[in-house]
Amino acid sequence: MALFGGVLLAAGIMLYLLEPVLSGRSAPLYRGGDEHDESAARRRVALAALRDLEYDRATGKVDGEDYERLRTELSREALVQLEPEPTQGDSAVASASRALEDEIATIRRALREGLQCVGCRRLNDFGAKYCGGCGERLRTARATRSKSRNGERS
Amino acid sequence: MTILGETALWIALPVAFWGTAVSFAGGRTGRSELVLSGERTAYALTFLLLVASLGIVAAFLGDRYDYWYVANYSNRELDTYFKVAGLWAGQRGSLVFWTLLLSVFTTIAVYQNRARNREFMPYVAGTLLAILAFLLVVLLFAGVNPFERLGFTPANGRGLNPQLQNYWMTIHPPTLYLGFTAFAVPFAFAVSALLTNRLDSRWIAVTRRWILLSWFFLTMGIIFGMRWAYEELGWGGYWFWDPVENASLLPWLTATAFLHSIQIQQNRGMLKVWNMALVVGTFLLTIFATFLTRSGLIESVHSFAENLKIAYIFLGFMGGTAAFCAVLVVHRLPSLRSENQIQSFLSRESAFLFNNLMLVGIAFAVMWGTLFPLITEGLLGQKINVGPPFYNRVNLPMGLILLALMGIGPVIAWRRASRRNLRKNFVLPCGMAAATLAGLWLAGVRHGMALTTFVLAAFVMTTVVVEFWKGTKARARIAGEGYLVALRGLVRRNQRRWGGYVVHAGVVILFTGLAGSAFDVVQVHEMLPGESATIRSAFGHEYDLTYESLSHSRPRASDDVRENDWRWTALLTVRQGGEQVAVMRPERRFYPVMEEASTEVGIRSTVLEDLYVIPREVDLESGTERATFEFKVLPLVPWIWSGGVIVAVGTLVGLWPAAGAQSAARTSGGRRPASRLAASDAAGRAA
């Protein structure tokens, strides 16, 4: 009985392994859409670093010259990786890059809204509640948002 | 079932060789039917090894003592739970189990990549199947076949080593094995990247989760092992720098270094050769761990009997793999050139590099200490062991530097940080560290190493908390969200970063727990029933312990092998401030058949410390029931286990599938990225 089971097992396994060779059934070796686009991956890394930099700016970890220098370097790297335009690149990586860009744009917009005085246009330090130039109360993104929501309702 | 299991093991060997050959041949020649056959081999091997493992479990459950392995690791009295765990209790079964786990991971890797990363897969499958073939050769030809018959059937088995009859021991080895075997997948991808010359960031991106998974299991396996030693070995410690403990620590150290250094490669295109060395080195160290245990060349509480045949096969495999990978790396050196250089000493790259140097430095020291007996035996003809003092003296300073770097790395900027930036970010953590130092000094703490650990722990913990607080506050303000929602969104946006911070917090708590050992209080008391003793902890808590009574069973070894153990149990009550807070029942067990003894210690845990009672000796002859106890108060030990839990949580955060980049992309429409980035950048400049 055990011998019969063993022979059956061996035969089954052999058939399973040889079937692709005998029938010509194959596994994909390369897939066009699967091709890794190093440029897209690099761009995503640069954008993620840029996003983190914006957060670091927002949290006060990086400021002034450091911020400007790093932003210039990272933006240049992200833009350099655009050439040539990835036409058949990894779609997941490309869409991740787009999501990152949206996030960066959102942070920058919020920072502008929160930091730039609507009266005298001065760019204040993060965390400031009042403008250092004219003393006007600065708006935060939350305040701006709720204000616009109220406006929509009325 | 057992015979079928043995047959399956024999069938597995040619199958593994077939799979290895057709996978490499298919990749080389581009014949996709061979590649498919190779990938099917992974599934077939998992099935065969599952049948073989079930065959071993069936032999244990059926008390088949005609099998050498069952007769030596089980007996009729053993609980069913431990009979199932018998699969990994001994050398032979654990090798099968190891092979099974590797085949399962191979199957997962092959299935996961059935429609992606296809150019890597023939070589990935080929590499993993080659490792499986090697393990099967060991199993079948190195005298460790678990299905070997005795030629007669003993009435009962020898039983399971009493120290292994513990809950933690049933989960500690499988967890470590999971960590060891999971790391074979990143190694296979690295080999595949070298063979195909696809040495961009892809293989790292593909294997990041595997590395993290392996690291998670290694960490948990080591902590479970510490917990087992703490509960079962009965000496009040959790780490003894035992060679096999060291062998599990070595791949953990290099894997940790690798986890950090791949970030430099991904972010800056640097350290490519170093990363290759780390991934190959870590894989070899996982093999080294099993070599050390199974060859029996170095004495350890974990090791099995000396088996030189296994030693030579393992050495050959490790040497061959190292040479093959070295040749591949040298051959691909032009593709592994660094794209950037470290711009400044004050940068995150720099901090990560130091972190790598420290981790690898500790790994070298541990390796040196572990192999020292073998080296001295070769040179001087006698084994000389180095003990915990060597490891502590060498590793403690490096460990403390690592702790400091854990606080510096996350806060310092990539590329180049200005001094002003450093001042701004380190004022609060340094302030907290100084306050901790002052507080502890005033409280009378004078132990240098412990004091340094606590101060650095305060520094690192402050940086972690501040990072979370500032990040949450910024996100709440930017997105107009409540703090809890903002915290969740923050973590989901970059799980690797924030999960990493949680891991750092866990490690800090764990280090603090380890440093608590500087303030252990130990007393030995010989007591008669009714007598009491008082012990005062470093925190000033006083425990009054009363030896109430003793119970014992079968105080002599019986000729009947079924009467396989006898024990004595003491009953102690613990009072604090006159109020009873705990009842303890420490116990000594003796196993005459195995000629072994084990200690079941009494442990009472609180948030700050453990009261630990070790039963030493009892006088049953005179009828007085006089017993000797060792009482210990071990400060901050519970923090070690809590730290381990936090490390696990942090790693799981990093492992959790990311909040879909795709879903974010769905909302972003199909605009061209270039224009939006440029517009955003221009708007930023205008602001």
Side-chain angles (χ1 to χ4, degrees):
Chain A
M1 183 65 190
L3 184 71
F4 178 70
V7 171
L8 207 66
L9 187 66
I13 295 286
M14 206 155 78
L15 204 67
Y16 178 64
L17 298 184
L18 290 178
E19 192 267 342
V21 182
L22 300 174
S23 69
R25 192 198 300 263
S26 61
L29 276 182
Y30 305 100
R31 283 168 72 96
D34 181 47
E35 274 298 297
H36 175 67
D37 189 328
E38 183 66 5
S39 294
R42 290 294 182 82
R43 181 174 156 72
R44 188 185 167 191
V45 167
L47 285 171
L50 204 50
R51 186 259 322 260
D52 289 346
L53 178 69
E54 296 297 341
Y55 266 118
D56 287 348
R57 162 82 163 137
T59 56
K61 257 171 78 176
V62 179
D63 56 10
E65 288 168 26
D66 290 341
Y67 169 73
E68 290 300 336
R69 179 178 50 77
L70 283 171
R71 189 174 74 163
T72 309
E73 280 181 31
L74 290 168
S75 301
R76 194 191 307 127
E77 276 174 28
L79 289 167
V80 161
Q81 297 300 340
L82 271 181
E83 300 299 340
E85 177 76 17
T87 50
Q88 52 156 18
D90 186 328
S91 60
V93 174
S95 42
S97 293
R98 282 198 291 279
L100 280 167
E101 283 169 13
D102 279 345
E103 201 178 346
I104 292 166
T106 307
I107 302 168
R108 287 180 179 172
R109 195 167 51 244
L111 282 175
R112 280 199 307 280
E113 286 169 357
L115 297 178
Q116 194 166 32
C117 176
V118 286
C120 67
R121 312 301 296 168
R122 177 194 163 101
L123 189 63
N124 291 281
D125 284 340
F126 185 79
K129 290 195 171 108
Y130 297 93
C131 176
C134 64
E136 181 85 8
R137 188 179 170 85
L138 299 170
R139 287 183 305 161
T140 62
R142 195 199 293 229
T144 312
R145 200 158 299 178
S146 60
K147 204 170 171 183
S148 66
R149 268 203 295 269
N150 291 337
E152 279 164 24
R153 269 190 219 122
S154 63
Chain B
M1 185 71 212
T2 308
I3 294 175
L4 197 63
E6 185 176 2
T7 314
L9 198 62
W10 278 103
I11 297 172
L13 181 68
V15 165
F17 277 117
W18 164 265
T20 309
V22 294
S23 294
F24 280 113
R28 181 91 183 137
T29 59
R31 285 183 58 183
S32 51
E33 74 277 14
L34 293 183
V35 175
L36 180 61
S37 181
E39 291 184 354
R40 282 189 176 188
T41 307
Y43 305 141
L45 269 181
T46 303
F47 175 71
L48 289 168
L49 288 162
L50 197 64
V51 172
S53 303
L54 287 175
I56 297 172
V57 173
F60 268 94
L61 294 175
D63 295 326
R64 295 287 304 273
Y65 302 120
D66 49 331
Y67 287 97
W68 183 96
Y69 184 56
V70 180
N72 276 281
Y73 289 91
S74 180
N75 60 11
R76 293 187 195 285
E77 291 73 34
L78 199 64
D79 290 340
T80 308
Y81 179 63
F82 290 117
K83 282 184 178 174
V84 174
L87 176 61
W88 56 84
Q91 180 180 33
R92 300 178 180 210
S94 67
L95 262 176
V96 173
F97 187 58
W98 183 299
T99 316
L100 171 69
L101 291 179
L102 180 57
S103 74
V104 169
F105 283 135
T106 305
T107 292
I108 293 172
V110 166
Y111 183 77
Q112 218 177 28
N113 292 288
R114 66 195 181 285
R116 52 186 169 155
N117 306 313
R118 293 305 305 166
E119 60 272 46
F120 284 136
M121 288 319 289
Y123 301 108
V124 170
T127 307
L128 290 168
L129 292 169
I131 302 168
L132 283 166
F134 154 73
L135 288 170
L136 286 163
V137 167
V138 172
L139 268 168
L140 294 168
F141 300 108
V144 286
N145 188 334
F147 295 104
E148 185 190 324
R149 303 283 186 107
L150 278 173
F152 64 97
T153 307
N156 201 355
R158 278 174 55 83
L160 185 64
N161 183 336
Q163 289 179 337
L164 303 183
Q165 294 181 37
N166 174 284
Y167 165 75
W168 290 108
M169 201 52 200
T170 57
I171 59 167
H172 154 63
T175 316
L176 262 186
Y177 295 167
L178 284 166
F180 289 149
T181 49
F183 204 86
V185 177
F187 168 74
F189 268 94
V191 169
S192 184
L194 284 167
L195 285 170
T196 53
N197 201 19
R198 294 296 307 260
L199 290 160
D200 48 29
S201 62
R202 186 183 194 177
W203 74 271
I204 284 181
V206 171
T207 56
R208 193 187 73 81
R209 272 167 195 283
W210 281 102
I211 300 163
L212 214 50
L213 186 76
S214 166
W215 191 86
F216 171 76
F217 283 126
L218 280 177
T219 311
M220 290 300 102
I222 291 170
I223 291 173
F224 290 161
M226 287 165 72
R227 182 75 201 190
W228 165 73
Y230 186 66
E231 281 187 9
E232 196 59 34
L233 293 186
W235 54 283
Y238 30 77
W239 193 267
F240 195 66
W241 297 107
D242 174 86
V244 176
E245 282 177 346
N246 295 350
S248 67
L249 184 67
L250 286 169
W252 183 88
L253 288 166
T254 49
T256 310
F258 185 57
L259 264 176
H260 287 87
S261 64
I262 54 172
Q263 292 185 51
I264 305 184
Q265 182 168 343
Q266 282 189 304
N267 280 290
R268 307 280 289 125
M270 295 157 65
L271 301 185
K272 290 179 182 175
V273 176
W274 175 251
N275 281 332
M276 276 294 168
L278 280 180
V279 73
V280 173
T282 305
F283 170 71
L284 287 175
L285 286 172
T286 63
I287 301 289
F288 176 75
T290 190
F291 155 76
L292 209 63
T293 328
R294 276 146 237 290
S295 67
L297 286 180
I298 293 176
E299 283 173 28
S300 148
V301 292
H302 299 75
S303 60
F304 303 109
E306 189 168 302
N307 181 337
L308 284 179
K309 203 186 275 183
I310 278 199
Y312 290 133
I313 296 177
F314 268 94
L315 279 175
F317 178 76
M318 287 191 289
T321 308
F324 174 68
C325 293
V327 169
L328 272 180
V329 169
V330 170
H331 181 58
R332 299 295 187 201
L333 267 183
S335 309
L336 290 168
R337 275 202 200 100
S338 214
E339 294 158 37
N340 291 296
Q341 286 188 324
I342 290 185
Q343 292 180 11
S344 164
F345 176 74
L346 295 175
S347 63
R348 193 175 296 181
E349 295 93 310
S350 212
F352 277 21
L353 198 61
F354 276 117
N355 145 303
N356 264 240
L357 290 177
M358 287 302 124
L359 284 164
V360 174
I362 294 174
F364 267 114
V366 173
M367 173 80 101
W368 174 255
T370 308
L371 293 179
F372 197 69
L374 281 184
I375 296 166
T376 51
E377 191 181 26
L379 294 176
L380 307 172
Q382 76 177 101
K383 284 183 181 177
I384 299 175
N385 288 298
V386 295
F390 163 78
Y391 294 104
N392 292 337
R393 199 171 304 141
V394 177
N395 293 332
L396 276 181
M398 286 197 274
L400 290 176
I401 295 173
L402 260 181
L403 189 59
L405 286 170
M406 260 196 303
I408 296 169
V411 177
I412 200 166
W414 284 104
R415 294 157 197 258
R416 201 180 319 128
S418 67
R419 288 180 195 283
R420 190 184 67 250
N421 166 253
L422 290 181
R423 268 199 303 276
K424 189 169 182 177
N425 290 314
F426 286 119
V427 164
L428 189 57
C430 288
M432 282 303 288
T436 307
L437 177 65
L440 290 173
W441 189 265
L442 288 175
V445 178
R446 295 291 184 273
H447 191 286
M449 281 293 180
L451 205 55
T452 314
T453 309
F454 295 144
V455 168
L456 288 175
F459 170 77
V460 181
M461 201 50 120
T462 310
T463 61
V464 172
V465 171
V466 168
E467 282 286 294
F468 268 101
W469 169 241
K470 281 184 172 177
T472 306
K473 209 168 76 170
R475 189 173 166 89
R477 185 166 173 159
I478 288 164
E481 296 168 343
Y483 282 113
L484 272 180
V485 179
L487 175 65
R488 187 174 167 274
L490 188 78
V491 175
R492 289 293 276 166
R493 277 287 171 216
N494 196 346
Q495 286 168 216
R496 177 158 77 171
R497 176 177 177 176
W498 298 102
Y501 287 165
V502 175
V503 171
H504 283 185
V507 173
V508 166
I509 292 170
L510 202 150
F511 264 64
T512 309
L514 296 176
S517 65
F519 308 99
D520 289 357
V521 178
V522 183
Q523 288 179 8
V524 177
H525 289 274
E526 205 177 286
M527 300 166 85
L528 288 168
E531 285 185 345
S532 296
T534 302
I535 186 165
R536 190 182 164 88
S537 81
F539 287 108
H541 303 139
E542 241 177 41
Y543 297 94
D544 297 315
L545 292 114
T546 308
Y547 171 31
E548 302 285 357
S549 62
L550 182 90
S551 61
H552 57 89
S553 65
R554 287 190 221 112
R556 279 180 194 83
S558 166
D559 291 336
D560 186 345
V561 288
R562 280 170 301 177
E563 294 182 356
N564 205 6
D565 72 290
W566 69 273
R567 59 191 68 187
W568 61 267
T569 312
L571 179 75
L572 289 105
T573 50
V574 184
R575 288 186 177 76
Q576 277 188 292
E579 199 175 317
Q580 183 174 313
V581 291
V583 176
M584 288 179 156
R585 291 181 180 82
E587 188 173 275
R588 287 277 282 167
R589 295 176 186 169
F590 300 89
Y591 299 82
V593 175
M594 300 197 79
E595 295 175 348
E596 295 227 21
S598 75
T599 305
E600 299 297 313
V601 295
I603 302 174
R604 183 185 183 260
S605 274
T606 57
V607 175
L608 285 177
E609 62 199 11
D610 274 6
L611 175 64
Y612 193 93
V613 177
I614 309 167
R616 287 280 175 229
E617 284 170 12
V618 69
D619 175 10
L620 293 175
E621 302 298 324
S622 66
T624 57
E625 298 184 340
R626 179 185 294 274
T628 308
F629 299 99
E630 191 172 333
F631 300 136
K632 293 186 169 192
V633 188
L634 310 171
L636 301 178
V637 166
W639 289 34
I640 296 173
W641 321 126
S642 317
V645 172
I646 295 170
V647 168
V649 170
T651 319
L652 289 175
V653 168
L655 268 172
W656 207 257
Q662 287 86 345
S663 65
R666 274 198 295 275
T667 59
S668 68
R671 289 167 295 169
R672 282 200 62 205
S675 57
R676 289 184 306 134
L677 180 71
S680 167
D681 214 33
R685 273 194 290 274

